[in-house]
Protein backbone atom coordinates (compact mmCIF):
# COMPACT_ATOMS: atom_id res chain seq x y z
CA UNK A 1 0.00 0.00 0.00
CA UNK A 2 1.35 3.39 -0.98
CA UNK A 3 0.17 5.40 2.02
CA UNK A 4 1.32 8.70 0.58
CA UNK A 5 -0.75 8.23 -2.58
CA UNK A 6 -3.69 6.93 -0.57
CA UNK A 7 -3.57 10.03 1.62
CA UNK A 8 -3.48 12.35 -1.40
CA UNK A 9 -6.40 10.49 -3.00
CA UNK A 10 -8.36 10.56 0.26
CA UNK A 11 -7.91 14.32 0.49
CA UNK A 12 -9.25 14.69 -3.06
CA UNK A 13 -12.16 12.37 -2.39
CA UNK A 14 -13.03 14.20 0.84
CA UNK A 15 -13.26 17.48 -1.07
CA UNK A 16 -15.57 15.86 -3.63
CA UNK A 17 -18.07 14.86 -0.91
CA UNK A 18 -18.29 18.27 0.71
CA UNK A 19 -15.54 18.13 3.30
CA UNK A 20 -14.14 21.65 3.43
CA UNK A 21 -10.95 20.89 5.31
CA UNK A 22 -9.15 17.70 6.22
CA UNK A 23 -6.15 17.13 8.45
CA UNK A 24 -4.26 14.20 9.91
CA UNK A 25 -2.70 13.45 13.26
CA UNK A 26 -1.15 10.52 15.08
CA UNK A 27 -3.17 8.35 17.46
CA UNK A 28 -1.02 9.24 20.47
CA UNK A 29 -2.69 10.23 23.76
CA UNK A 30 -3.72 13.83 24.34
CA UNK A 31 -1.69 14.28 27.53
CA UNK A 32 -2.12 18.01 28.03
CA UNK A 33 -5.86 17.72 27.38
CA UNK A 34 -6.13 14.98 30.00
CA UNK A 35 -4.80 17.31 32.68
CA UNK A 36 -7.06 20.11 31.47
CA UNK A 37 -10.17 17.91 31.55
CA UNK A 38 -9.33 16.71 35.05
CA UNK A 39 -8.99 20.30 36.19
CA UNK A 40 -12.31 21.16 34.57
CA UNK A 41 -13.95 18.25 36.39
CA UNK A 42 -12.46 19.29 39.73
CA UNK A 43 -13.67 22.84 39.23
CA UNK A 44 -17.18 21.67 38.23
CA UNK A 45 -16.86 23.47 34.89
CA UNK A 46 -18.11 20.61 32.68
CA UNK A 47 -21.59 20.54 31.19
CA UNK A 48 -22.36 16.94 32.08
CA UNK A 49 -23.30 16.19 28.46
CA UNK A 50 -19.78 14.99 27.68
CA UNK A 51 -18.22 11.55 28.18
CA UNK A 52 -17.09 11.46 31.81
CA UNK A 53 -14.21 8.99 31.36
CA UNK A 54 -11.19 11.23 30.83
CA UNK A 55 -9.02 8.28 29.74
CA UNK A 56 -11.45 7.39 26.96
CA UNK A 57 -11.57 11.01 25.86
CA UNK A 58 -7.83 11.36 25.58
CA UNK A 59 -6.43 7.95 24.63
CA UNK A 60 -7.38 6.95 21.09
CA UNK A 61 -5.88 3.47 21.53
CA UNK A 62 -8.58 2.66 24.07
CA UNK A 63 -11.15 3.21 21.34
CA UNK A 64 -9.37 1.48 18.45
CA UNK A 65 -6.59 -0.75 19.67
CA UNK A 66 -4.50 -0.70 16.50
CA UNK A 67 -5.11 2.99 15.74
CA UNK A 68 -2.24 4.70 13.92
CA UNK A 69 -3.81 7.93 12.79
CA UNK A 70 -6.82 10.19 13.16
CA UNK A 71 -8.34 11.92 10.17
CA UNK A 72 -10.01 15.19 11.19
CA UNK A 73 -12.61 16.82 8.99
CA UNK A 74 -14.31 20.19 9.03
CA UNK A 75 -17.46 21.29 7.24
CA UNK A 76 -18.26 24.98 7.09
CA UNK A 77 -21.65 26.39 8.03
CA UNK A 78 -23.16 29.78 7.30
CA UNK A 79 -22.69 32.68 9.65
CA UNK A 80 -25.47 34.83 8.29
CA UNK A 81 -29.07 34.27 7.39
CA UNK A 82 -30.48 35.63 4.17
CA UNK A 83 -33.84 37.41 4.51
CA UNK A 84 -33.86 37.17 8.30
CA UNK A 85 -37.32 38.12 9.57
CA UNK A 86 -37.38 40.99 12.07
CA UNK A 87 -39.33 40.64 15.27
CA UNK A 88 -41.59 43.46 16.36
CA UNK A 89 -44.07 44.30 19.08
CA UNK A 90 -46.73 41.61 19.15
CA UNK A 91 -44.59 39.36 16.91
CA UNK A 92 -41.43 38.75 18.88
CA UNK A 93 -38.96 36.20 17.65
CA UNK A 94 -36.39 33.92 19.26
CA UNK A 95 -33.16 32.69 17.76
CA UNK A 96 -31.50 29.32 17.35
CA UNK A 97 -27.69 29.43 17.20
CA UNK A 98 -25.98 28.88 13.89
CA UNK A 99 -25.01 25.29 14.71
CA UNK A 100 -28.72 24.54 14.70
CA UNK A 101 -29.45 25.97 11.27
CA UNK A 102 -30.38 23.55 8.52
CA UNK A 103 -30.06 19.80 8.95
CA UNK A 104 -28.63 18.41 12.16
CA UNK A 105 -24.86 18.58 11.73
CA UNK A 106 -24.42 15.23 13.45
CA UNK A 107 -26.21 13.66 10.48
CA UNK A 108 -24.30 15.72 7.91
CA UNK A 109 -20.86 15.03 9.40
CA UNK A 110 -21.65 11.37 10.04
CA UNK A 111 -22.69 10.91 6.40
CA UNK A 112 -19.34 12.25 5.21
CA UNK A 113 -17.44 10.08 7.69
CA UNK A 114 -19.34 7.02 6.52
CA UNK A 115 -18.45 7.82 2.90
CA UNK A 116 -14.79 8.15 3.88
CA UNK A 117 -14.97 4.81 5.69
CA UNK A 118 -16.56 3.13 2.66
CA UNK A 119 -13.92 4.65 0.39
CA UNK A 120 -11.08 3.34 2.57
CA UNK A 121 -12.72 -0.08 3.00
CA UNK A 122 -12.73 -0.50 -0.77
CA UNK A 123 -9.05 0.32 -1.07
CA UNK A 124 -7.38 -1.03 2.05
CA UNK A 125 -7.83 -4.69 2.95
CA UNK A 126 -8.03 -5.16 6.72
CA UNK A 127 -8.55 -1.49 7.48
CA UNK A 128 -9.89 -0.79 10.96
CA UNK A 129 -11.74 2.44 11.61
CA UNK A 130 -13.88 4.23 14.13
CA UNK A 131 -15.50 7.55 13.44
CA UNK A 132 -17.21 10.04 15.70
CA UNK A 133 -18.80 13.44 15.85
CA UNK A 134 -19.58 15.60 18.88
CA UNK A 135 -21.09 12.90 21.07
CA UNK A 136 -18.17 10.51 20.56
CA UNK A 137 -15.54 9.95 23.20
CA UNK A 138 -12.70 11.95 21.68
CA UNK A 139 -12.69 15.72 21.95
CA UNK A 140 -13.34 16.92 18.40
CA UNK A 141 -11.61 20.23 19.00
CA UNK A 142 -8.45 18.69 20.41
CA UNK A 143 -8.19 16.33 17.44
CA UNK A 144 -8.82 19.15 14.96
CA UNK A 145 -6.22 21.35 16.65
CA UNK A 146 -3.52 18.67 16.54
CA UNK A 147 -4.43 17.79 12.94
CA UNK A 148 -3.84 21.38 11.83
CA UNK A 149 -7.48 22.20 11.01
CA UNK A 150 -7.27 25.43 13.02
CA UNK A 151 -6.02 26.86 16.27
CA UNK A 152 -7.91 26.73 19.52
CA UNK A 153 -9.21 30.24 20.16
CA UNK A 154 -9.62 31.91 23.52
CA UNK A 155 -13.36 31.37 23.00
CA UNK A 156 -12.66 27.60 22.95
CA UNK A 157 -13.62 27.29 19.26
CA UNK A 158 -11.37 25.89 16.59
CA UNK A 159 -10.62 28.80 14.27
CA UNK A 160 -9.73 28.04 10.68
CA UNK A 161 -8.16 30.71 8.48
CA UNK A 162 -10.58 29.77 5.67
CA UNK A 163 -13.97 29.58 7.40
CA UNK A 164 -13.37 31.14 10.79
CA UNK A 165 -14.81 29.15 13.66
CA UNK A 166 -18.02 28.31 11.81
CA UNK A 167 -17.06 24.70 11.16
CA UNK A 168 -18.49 21.37 12.23
CA UNK A 169 -15.87 18.86 13.23
CA UNK A 170 -15.65 15.11 13.05
CA UNK A 171 -12.91 12.49 13.08
CA UNK A 172 -12.05 9.06 11.87
CA UNK A 173 -9.51 6.87 13.62
CA UNK A 174 -7.74 4.41 11.36
CA UNK A 175 -4.99 1.79 11.56
CA UNK A 176 -3.32 3.38 8.52
CA UNK A 177 -0.11 5.32 9.25
CA UNK A 178 -1.11 8.55 7.49
CA UNK A 179 1.44 11.35 7.73
CA UNK A 180 0.44 13.89 10.40
CA UNK A 181 -0.12 17.57 9.66
CA UNK A 182 1.47 20.33 11.70
CA UNK A 183 -0.72 22.15 14.24
CA UNK A 184 -1.35 25.82 13.47
CA UNK A 185 0.10 28.73 15.40
CA UNK A 186 -2.31 30.45 17.78
CA UNK A 187 -3.42 33.66 16.06
CA UNK A 188 -5.53 35.20 18.82
CA UNK A 189 -2.63 37.39 19.86
CA UNK A 190 -3.55 40.12 22.36
CA UNK A 191 -7.25 40.03 21.48
CA UNK A 192 -9.63 39.29 24.35
CA UNK A 193 -12.91 40.35 22.73
CA UNK A 194 -14.69 37.04 23.27
CA UNK A 195 -13.80 37.04 26.95
CA UNK A 196 -14.87 40.67 27.33
CA UNK A 197 -18.29 40.31 25.71
CA UNK A 198 -19.44 36.98 27.10
CA UNK A 199 -22.71 37.93 28.83
CA UNK A 200 -22.24 35.53 31.75
CA UNK A 201 -18.46 35.58 32.23
CA UNK A 202 -18.36 31.92 31.20
CA UNK A 203 -14.92 32.21 29.58
CA UNK A 204 -12.98 32.27 32.81
CA UNK A 205 -9.61 32.53 31.08
CA UNK A 206 -8.16 32.13 27.60
CA UNK A 207 -9.54 28.84 26.29
CA UNK A 208 -11.13 27.92 29.61
CA UNK A 209 -14.90 27.65 29.75
CA UNK A 210 -17.15 27.21 32.74
CA UNK A 211 -19.94 25.36 30.95
CA UNK A 212 -22.23 25.81 33.94
CA UNK A 213 -22.28 29.55 33.18
CA UNK A 214 -22.34 29.26 29.39
CA UNK A 215 -25.65 30.20 27.77
CA UNK A 216 -25.11 27.56 25.08
CA UNK A 217 -25.34 24.95 27.85
CA UNK A 218 -27.94 26.74 29.96
CA UNK A 219 -30.42 26.91 27.06
CA UNK A 220 -30.33 23.11 26.94
CA UNK A 221 -31.11 22.41 30.58
CA UNK A 222 -34.55 21.16 31.47
CA UNK A 223 -35.09 22.59 34.95
CA UNK A 224 -35.63 26.16 36.10
CA UNK A 225 -33.02 28.51 34.73
CA UNK A 226 -31.16 30.08 37.69
CA UNK A 227 -32.42 33.63 38.13
CA UNK A 228 -28.96 35.09 37.62
CA UNK A 229 -29.07 34.05 33.97
CA UNK A 230 -32.68 34.84 33.11
CA UNK A 231 -31.98 38.38 32.07
CA UNK A 232 -28.90 37.33 30.14
CA UNK A 233 -30.23 34.80 27.67
CA UNK A 234 -32.18 37.49 25.81
CA UNK A 235 -34.17 35.88 23.01
CA UNK A 236 -31.90 32.88 22.60
CA UNK A 237 -33.91 29.68 22.33
CA UNK A 238 -31.01 27.37 21.77
CA UNK A 239 -27.28 28.02 21.98
CA UNK A 240 -25.28 31.23 21.95
CA UNK A 241 -22.99 32.61 19.26
CA UNK A 242 -21.83 35.82 20.89
CA UNK A 243 -18.20 34.79 21.42
CA UNK A 244 -18.04 33.75 17.78
CA UNK A 245 -19.85 36.70 16.21
CA UNK A 246 -17.51 39.19 17.88
CA UNK A 247 -14.39 37.32 16.84
CA UNK A 248 -12.42 39.35 14.28
CA UNK A 249 -11.25 36.11 12.69
CA UNK A 250 -14.85 35.43 11.65
CA UNK A 251 -15.22 38.74 9.87
CA UNK A 252 -16.42 38.25 6.31
CA UNK A 253 -16.74 34.47 6.67
CA UNK A 254 -20.22 33.96 5.25
CA UNK A 255 -19.73 30.29 4.39
CA UNK A 256 -22.76 29.94 2.15
CA UNK A 257 -21.36 26.69 0.85
CA UNK A 258 -23.70 23.83 1.70
CA UNK A 259 -27.42 24.08 0.94
CA UNK A 260 -28.18 21.64 3.75
CA UNK A 261 -27.10 24.21 6.38
CA UNK A 262 -28.96 27.17 4.92
CA UNK A 263 -31.56 28.01 7.54
CA UNK A 264 -35.27 28.26 7.05
CA UNK A 265 -35.63 31.72 8.62
CA UNK A 266 -38.99 30.79 10.17
CA UNK A 267 -37.31 27.92 12.03
CA UNK A 268 -34.04 29.63 12.90
CA UNK A 269 -35.81 32.79 14.08
CA UNK A 270 -39.26 31.54 14.98
CA UNK A 271 -42.13 33.57 16.36
CA UNK A 272 -42.16 33.09 20.12
CA UNK A 273 -45.84 33.00 20.98
CA UNK A 274 -46.79 30.03 18.76
CA UNK A 275 -44.04 28.06 20.52
CA UNK A 276 -45.90 28.33 23.82
CA UNK A 277 -48.71 26.12 22.60
CA UNK A 278 -46.94 23.85 20.15
CA UNK A 279 -47.84 20.16 20.56
CA UNK A 280 -45.20 17.44 20.74
CA UNK A 281 -46.23 16.23 17.32
CA UNK A 282 -46.01 19.67 15.73
CA UNK A 283 -42.68 20.34 17.42
CA UNK A 284 -41.24 17.13 16.07
CA UNK A 285 -42.56 17.74 12.58
CA UNK A 286 -41.28 21.31 12.50
CA UNK A 287 -38.02 21.21 14.46
CA UNK A 288 -37.21 17.49 14.65
CA UNK A 289 -34.48 17.70 11.99
CA UNK A 290 -32.49 20.53 13.60
CA UNK A 291 -29.82 19.87 16.21
CA UNK A 292 -31.42 22.33 18.64
CA UNK A 293 -34.39 20.03 19.17
CA UNK A 294 -32.42 17.20 20.75
CA UNK A 295 -33.59 18.02 24.28
CA UNK A 296 -37.24 18.14 23.26
CA UNK A 297 -39.61 21.07 23.39
CA UNK A 298 -39.59 21.90 27.10
CA UNK A 299 -36.28 23.83 27.24
CA UNK A 300 -37.23 25.69 24.05
CA UNK A 301 -40.61 26.65 25.54
CA UNK A 302 -39.03 27.71 28.83
CA UNK A 303 -36.58 29.87 26.89
CA UNK A 304 -39.41 31.29 24.76
CA UNK A 305 -41.18 32.38 27.97
CA UNK A 306 -37.96 34.03 29.19
CA UNK A 307 -37.52 35.74 25.81
CA UNK A 308 -41.05 37.16 26.03
CA UNK A 309 -40.21 38.42 29.52
CA UNK A 310 -37.00 39.93 28.10
CA UNK A 311 -39.08 41.84 25.54
CA UNK A 312 -41.77 42.64 28.17
CA UNK A 313 -44.24 41.48 25.56
CA UNK A 314 -47.65 42.42 26.94
CA UNK A 315 -49.59 40.62 24.23
CA UNK A 316 -48.19 37.36 25.63
CA UNK A 317 -49.76 37.88 29.06
CA UNK A 318 -52.99 35.89 28.34
CA UNK A 319 -50.93 32.94 27.01
CA UNK A 320 -48.60 33.07 30.00
CA UNK A 321 -51.57 33.10 32.37
CA UNK A 322 -52.92 30.02 30.63
CA UNK A 323 -49.58 28.27 31.05
CA UNK A 324 -49.44 29.20 34.73
CA UNK A 325 -52.95 27.92 35.33
CA UNK A 326 -53.02 24.85 33.12
CA UNK A 327 -49.62 23.51 32.12
CA UNK A 328 -48.72 20.18 33.70
CA UNK A 329 -45.01 20.94 33.88
CA UNK A 330 -43.82 22.82 36.98
CA UNK A 331 -40.90 24.40 35.07
CA UNK A 332 -43.30 25.93 32.58
CA UNK A 333 -45.80 27.08 35.20
CA UNK A 334 -43.10 28.58 37.39
CA UNK A 335 -41.24 30.28 34.55
CA UNK A 336 -44.54 31.71 33.30
CA UNK A 337 -45.19 33.09 36.81
CA UNK A 338 -41.80 34.77 36.87
CA UNK A 339 -42.32 36.16 33.35
CA UNK A 340 -45.72 37.54 34.32
CA UNK A 341 -44.11 39.38 37.21
CA UNK A 342 -41.46 40.74 34.86
CA UNK A 343 -43.96 41.94 32.26
CA UNK A 344 -46.59 43.10 34.74
CA UNK A 345 -49.81 44.80 33.73
CA UNK A 346 -53.39 45.08 34.88
CA UNK A 347 -54.72 42.02 36.68
CA UNK A 348 -51.39 40.16 36.83
CA UNK A 349 -51.10 40.49 40.60
CA UNK A 350 -54.55 38.90 41.11
CA UNK A 351 -53.65 36.07 38.75
CA UNK A 352 -50.43 35.38 40.64
CA UNK A 353 -52.15 35.51 44.03
CA UNK A 354 -54.87 33.17 42.78
CA UNK A 355 -52.21 30.75 41.46
CA UNK A 356 -50.37 30.98 44.78
CA UNK A 357 -53.52 29.91 46.63
CA UNK A 358 -53.95 26.84 44.42
CA UNK A 359 -50.40 25.77 43.56
CA UNK A 360 -48.98 22.67 45.29
CA UNK A 361 -45.45 22.54 43.87
CA UNK A 362 -42.94 24.26 46.15
CA UNK A 363 -40.63 25.34 43.32
CA UNK A 364 -43.51 26.88 41.41
CA UNK A 365 -44.68 28.61 44.57
CA UNK A 366 -41.22 30.13 44.95
CA UNK A 367 -41.41 31.40 41.35
CA UNK A 368 -44.84 32.89 41.98
CA UNK A 369 -43.39 34.77 44.94
CA UNK A 370 -40.55 36.01 42.75
CA UNK A 371 -43.12 37.14 40.17
CA UNK A 372 -45.07 39.00 42.86
CA UNK A 373 -41.87 40.65 44.09
CA UNK A 374 -41.00 41.77 40.55
CA UNK A 375 -44.35 43.55 40.29
CA UNK A 376 -43.30 45.88 43.07
CA UNK A 377 -40.03 46.90 41.40
FE1 LIG B 1 -20.26 33.19 26.67
FE2 LIG B 1 -22.17 32.69 24.88
FE3 LIG B 1 -19.65 32.10 24.36
FE4 LIG B 1 -20.99 30.70 26.19
S1 LIG B 1 -21.40 30.77 24.00
S2 LIG B 1 -18.92 31.45 26.35
S3 LIG B 1 -22.26 32.34 27.08
S4 LIG B 1 -20.51 34.17 24.67
FE1 LIG C 1 -9.24 34.85 19.74
FE2 LIG C 1 -10.13 37.37 19.77
FE3 LIG C 1 -11.45 35.51 18.45
FE4 LIG C 1 -11.43 35.48 21.10
S1 LIG C 1 -12.34 37.05 19.80
S2 LIG C 1 -11.15 33.74 19.77
S3 LIG C 1 -9.36 36.19 21.52
S4 LIG C 1 -9.39 36.23 18.01
Amino acid sequence: MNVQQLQADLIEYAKSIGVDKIGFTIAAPFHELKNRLRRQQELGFQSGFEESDVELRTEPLRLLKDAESIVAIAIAYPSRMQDAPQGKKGERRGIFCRASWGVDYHTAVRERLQLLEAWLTERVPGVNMKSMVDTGELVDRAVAERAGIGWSGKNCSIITPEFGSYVYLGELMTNIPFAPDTPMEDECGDCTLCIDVCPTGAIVGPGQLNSQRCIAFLTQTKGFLPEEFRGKIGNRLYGCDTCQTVCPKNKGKLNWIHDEFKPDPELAKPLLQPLLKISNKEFKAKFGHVSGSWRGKKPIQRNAILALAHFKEVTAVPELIELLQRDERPVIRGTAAWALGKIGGVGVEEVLLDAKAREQDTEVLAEIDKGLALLTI
Side-chain angles (χ1 to χ4, degrees):
M1 177 179 53
N2 180 342
V3 176
Q4 209 179 349
Q5 187 59 50
L6 184 75
Q7 190 162 351
D9 292 347
L10 180 67
I11 293 169
E12 278 312 304
Y13 176 65
K15 280 184 192 152
S16 76
I17 58 165
V19 169
D20 296 310
K21 196 162 184 187
I22 183 167
F24 298 81
T25 182
I26 51 174
F30 293 82
H31 288 302
E32 202 269 331
L33 174 68
K34 189 182 284 187
N35 295 335
R36 226 167 349 116
L37 292 176
R38 289 225 170 96
R39 266 199 314 278
Q40 288 288 95
Q41 276 182 341
E42 280 160 22
L43 291 165
F45 284 177
Q46 297 205 310
S47 70
F49 293 147
E50 60 281 274
E51 166 65 56
S52 59
D53 186 332
V54 170
E55 259 73 36
L56 273 187
R57 299 191 78 195
T58 54
E59 294 184 22
L61 287 173
R62 287 184 184 241
L63 303 165
L64 186 75
K65 60 179 185 318
D66 57 349
E68 296 258 4
S69 65
I70 316 176
V71 185
I73 64 167
I75 304 170
Y77 59 90
S79 64
R80 232 177 274 163
M81 201 185 302
Q82 285 163 314
D83 306 318
Q86 295 307 310
K88 54 183 184 216
K89 217 166 173 232
E91 289 181 15
R92 303 293 188 182
R93 290 177 181 273
I95 181 91
F96 281 76
C97 71
R98 288 156 179 75
S100 183
W101 291 358
V103 300
D104 187 330
Y105 68 92
H106 298 88
T107 313
V109 176
R110 210 171 284 129
E111 272 171 14
R112 264 84 166 184
L113 289 167
Q114 280 165 357
L115 286 169
L116 294 178
E117 283 197 35
W119 189 92
L120 282 168
T121 304
E122 260 182 35
R123 283 158 183 81
V124 186
V127 65
N128 275 335
M129 292 170 285
K130 184 174 168 68
S131 60
M132 54 193 73
V133 45
D134 185 38
T135 50
E137 294 87 349
L138 290 182
V139 179
D140 299 333
R141 291 174 187 180
V143 175
E145 183 183 12
R146 204 167 76 182
I149 295 282
W151 78 94
S152 186
K154 288 178 190 166
N155 62 3
C156 306
S157 299
I158 290 297
I159 306 180
T160 69
E162 302 87 347
F163 314 105
S165 59
Y166 300 121
V167 284
Y168 297 129
L169 303 170
E171 59 270 345
L172 171 64
M173 281 181 283
T174 81
N175 61 346
I176 305 166
F178 288 124
D181 285 302
T182 312
M184 284 189 60
E185 290 291 319
D186 183 325
E187 288 183 26
C188 281
D190 293 339
C191 176
T192 56
L193 262 179
C194 52
I195 299 174
D196 303 340
V197 302
C198 173
T200 55
I203 309 175
V204 294
Q208 190 182 19
L209 184 75
N210 178 355
S211 296
Q212 297 296 324
R213 295 190 66 81
C214 175
I215 292 171
F217 161 73
L218 291 165
T219 56
Q220 301 176 51
T221 57
K222 289 187 174 177
F224 284 103
L225 192 75
E227 221 178 339
E228 172 189 4
F229 302 117
R230 290 184 195 172
K232 306 237 160 112
I233 79 163
N235 67 336
R236 297 176 186 89
L237 294 173
Y238 179 84
C240 170
D241 285 327
T242 302
C243 56
Q244 292 198 88
T245 51
V246 296
C247 178
K249 307 294 177 187
N250 280 335
K251 209 164 172 227
K253 306 288 194 238
L254 295 178
N255 299 346
W256 284 325
I257 301 168
H258 304 286
D259 284 345
E260 65 204 297
F261 301 133
K262 285 191 185 148
D264 172 344
E266 287 301 325
L267 296 187
K269 259 189 107 175
L271 287 167
L272 290 169
Q273 282 164 259
L275 283 174
L276 302 182
K277 286 187 180 155
I278 197 166
S279 69
N280 287 336
K281 206 170 152 197
E282 271 177 285
F283 182 79
K284 215 165 170 215
K286 222 173 159 184
F287 295 97
H289 65 289
V290 303
S291 64
S293 69
W294 79 285
R295 299 279 283 166
K297 71 171 185 173
K298 190 167 81 168
I300 304 288
Q301 288 182 311
R302 179 202 62 187
N303 301 338
I305 295 169
L306 294 172
L308 288 163
H310 158 77
F311 288 124
K312 290 203 185 329
E313 181 53 56
V314 286
T315 66
V317 165
E319 285 151 325
L320 293 171
I321 291 175
E322 207 178 320
L323 290 178
L324 170 64
Q325 293 176 337
R326 304 226 166 89
D327 202 280
E328 288 175 353
R329 299 160 298 175
V331 167
I332 298 298
R333 291 202 302 282
T335 308
W338 184 85
L340 282 166
K342 194 89 187 160
I343 299 168
V346 182
V348 166
E349 187 177 11
E350 290 70 26
V351 168
L352 288 173
L353 288 170
D354 176 59
K356 186 174 172 170
R358 289 189 283 126
E359 183 62 56
Q360 303 286 317
D361 186 288
T362 49
E363 282 186 297
V364 180
L365 281 166
E367 295 301 327
I368 294 172
D369 280 337
K370 284 180 203 163
L372 284 165
L374 283 169
L375 287 175
T376 61
I377 294 173

